[in-house]
Amino acid sequence: MNRRKNEERKAWLTLTLIIVLVVAAALFLTKDFREYLRDYDAFQEYKNYVMAQEGSAAPEGGKDAASVSENVPQVVESPVPETTPTPAPPESEPPKESNEPQRYEVLAGSRTLSDVSGNVIWQADTISPETEQLLRGYVTERSLVYTWQNSYEKTLKINELDKKILEAAGCAFPNVKINFVGDSVTEGVGGNQDAEGRQISYVNYVQAALQFGEVHNNGRSGATIAGYNNNDELAIGAHEDELFVKDSDITVFYAGLNDFLTDVEVKNFGVLDNGTTGGYCGQLQKIVNPLKTNYPNTLFFFVTAYQTPNTSSTKEYTNFNGIPTLDDYMNPLRTLAQQNGYPIIDLYSIGLMDMHDALTAQNLLADSIHPNDAGYRILGEHIAAEILLYCLGIIE
């Protein structure tokens, strides 16, 4: 019985071996196996080629080198050049953003400001051609508003365009010294006070808009062009050395309202004949005409007063036929400024802050004459816009 089982086991083993051999033969004859054999032969040839290349005994171009199979591609590796490691760049702080405005060509027709030594302290080179056209558009629109009937709405519209002009231009005058000469409106009577108890006037708003390097407010309450009642204490001409800063680059002159309002029995209006110094006109030309000689490096702006319903009670005048109006008092100032080539900021003529309008007076006056803080802001932003536009050469 056991013998029979052993014979059966041997038979199954023999059969299994035959099957394995048959399968192996079949695999040997398959395409994949044949490709494997070819690849193996090629690999052996390549290995022999590499060994021949590495052999130092065979001379270059000799028999051993030539005996390499022509069917094996000869690949020559390029030598890797020696390189010096590049040191890592030193750590540095990231570049800081500059507040310096972008520079363009100096705006054609603009005015360049120079100091007493002839050094350029401001020029119009931060205005792009696109911005120039935008500014000119605002100026044209504002000129049309000047023709509106005087009203609070008109004043607000002018101020809106002044703000657009200042914002679009984005100019500053950090190297320029500016001086303001005038009366209580320049001083800031009726306005707010700063932390140190000083009056805030239109001067502060001009400075906020244009950022001058140095500002002098020489406004004095009650200041006049001429002296009255034989008293020169408040006369600007009698205190010129105190009020006009010698090395000022720009001076804004805003006076004459008190001359109109001063009440005396007889008031001498004076005449503009370059020979007399009597009365309002004589004292005004005494101040204005020598400015080019006394302050040759200073650009002067002359400001006329805004319209007011207040009147002088003086009924008798010399050198004038009848009773002069505030506009009559402003006319000699306009004339002398034009004759001397100085720009005029004519609040009266354009109707800005005309206090005859009840709504304007209600919203912009602190009392019967002086602006409140809102009035000073509007006044300052207009004067700032005019200074800027003149320096840019956009207005005359």
Side-chain angles (χ1 to χ4, degrees):
M1 188 70 175
N2 290 335
R3 182 179 178 183
R4 184 177 178 182
K5 289 182 177 180
N6 289 336
E7 288 178 353
E8 289 179 353
R9 187 180 299 113
K10 288 180 181 180
W12 279 109
L13 289 174
T14 302
L15 180 61
T16 302
L17 180 61
I18 292 171
I19 293 172
V20 170
L21 291 173
V22 171
V23 172
L27 289 173
F28 180 79
L29 295 175
T30 60
K31 180 180 177 182
D32 290 342
F33 188 71
R34 291 196 302 272
E35 288 180 354
Y36 161 75
L37 292 178
R38 285 197 299 271
D39 291 343
Y40 180 80
D41 291 340
F43 173 72
Q44 294 301 321
E45 289 182 5
Y46 175 71
K47 189 164 68 172
N48 292 335
Y49 161 73
V50 172
M51 292 175 64
Q53 290 291 94
E54 293 177 350
S56 59
E60 185 178 353
K63 181 178 179 180
D64 291 339
S67 65
V68 178
S69 173
E70 294 180 359
N71 294 327
V72 179
Q74 299 185 24
V75 180
V76 179
E77 295 185 2
S78 301
V80 179
E82 294 184 3
T83 58
T84 303
T86 304
E91 294 185 1
S92 59
E93 295 182 1
K96 296 180 180 179
E97 294 185 5
S98 174
N99 292 326
E100 182 70 16
Q102 184 174 349
R103 300 292 173 180
Y104 302 91
E105 293 293 326
V106 177
L107 198 61
S110 62
R111 282 100 177 166
T112 297
L113 301 180
S114 302
D115 61 18
V116 293
S117 300
N119 301 313
V120 174
I121 55 176
W122 185 89
Q123 60 183 5
D125 61 351
T126 62
I127 301 295
S128 68
E130 295 77 14
T131 300
E132 179 189 2
Q133 291 305 311
L134 184 62
L135 292 173
R136 291 189 182 280
Y138 289 146
V139 169
T140 299
E141 184 180 356
R142 197 181 61 170
S143 297
L144 295 175
V145 177
Y146 290 166
T147 65
W148 294 6
Q149 182 178 355
N150 291 357
S151 64
Y152 184 53
E153 179 185 5
K154 174 181 179 178
T155 292
L156 293 183
K157 185 62 178 180
I158 293 173
N159 181 242
E160 175 188 328
L161 291 167
D162 287 336
K163 285 177 177 290
K164 289 183 177 180
I165 289 167
L166 294 169
E167 182 179 357
C171 289
F173 294 73
N175 300 315
V176 178
K177 179 187 295 186
I178 190 169
N179 180 40
F180 295 83
V181 177
D183 51 34
S184 55
V185 174
T186 298
E187 183 181 3
V189 172
N192 293 335
Q193 293 185 343
D194 63 17
E196 298 179 4
R198 294 172 299 194
Q199 295 295 137
I200 296 175
S201 78
Y202 72 85
V203 172
N204 300 78
Y205 291 102
V206 173
Q207 172 61 5
L210 299 181
Q211 296 297 302
F212 290 95
E214 189 173 326
V215 182
H216 295 268
N217 185 340
N218 282 319
R220 294 186 176 181
S221 183
T224 57
I225 303 297
Y228 298 95
N229 293 323
N230 297 316
N231 184 358
D232 289 337
E233 182 180 352
L234 296 175
I236 292 174
H239 303 276
E240 184 176 325
D241 291 341
E242 304 169 27
L243 302 177
F244 290 87
V245 178
K246 199 70 176 178
D247 60 347
S248 175
D249 303 302
I250 295 176
T251 291
V252 177
F253 186 86
Y254 185 176
L257 177 60
N258 285 332
D259 291 85
F260 168 66
L261 294 177
T262 297
D263 184 20
V264 293
E265 288 188 15
V266 179
K267 194 181 292 185
N268 183 8
F269 189 76
V271 292
L272 295 179
D273 62 0
N274 286 329
T276 63
T277 58
Y280 170 75
C281 292
Q283 287 297 301
L284 183 62
Q285 67 185 2
K286 183 182 177 182
I287 293 171
V288 177
N289 288 336
L291 292 177
K292 283 188 179 297
T293 300
N294 297 337
Y295 309 93
N297 297 299
T298 301
L299 171 61
F300 284 85
F301 288 85
F302 287 84
V303 184
T304 66
Y306 50 79
Q307 297 187 35
T308 173
N310 295 64
T311 60
S312 172
S313 58
T314 299
K315 301 301 181 183
E316 185 178 349
Y317 279 84
T318 59
N319 295 309
F320 193 88
N321 184 19
I323 305 297
T325 63
L326 177 58
D327 195 33
D328 291 325
Y329 268 86
M330 296 298 104
N331 273 331
L333 189 147
R334 296 186 187 102
T335 299
L336 290 174
Q338 290 171 346
Q339 288 177 353
N340 287 276
Y342 293 130
I344 303 167
I345 302 174
D346 203 338
L347 307 179
Y348 190 101
S349 294
I350 67 172
L352 180 73
M353 293 176 56
D354 181 355
M355 298 305 175
H356 290 93
D357 176 69
L359 193 58
T360 303
Q362 176 184 336
N363 286 282
L364 301 181
L365 281 183
D367 53 37
S368 62
I369 292 292
H370 303 99
N372 58 19
D373 190 64
Y376 276 124
R377 178 184 56 78
I378 289 174
L379 191 57
E381 288 169 348
H382 183 71
I383 291 174
E386 292 294 277
I387 291 173
L388 176 60
L389 291 170
Y390 181 85
C391 291
L392 294 177
I394 294 177
I395 64 172
E396 296 295 325

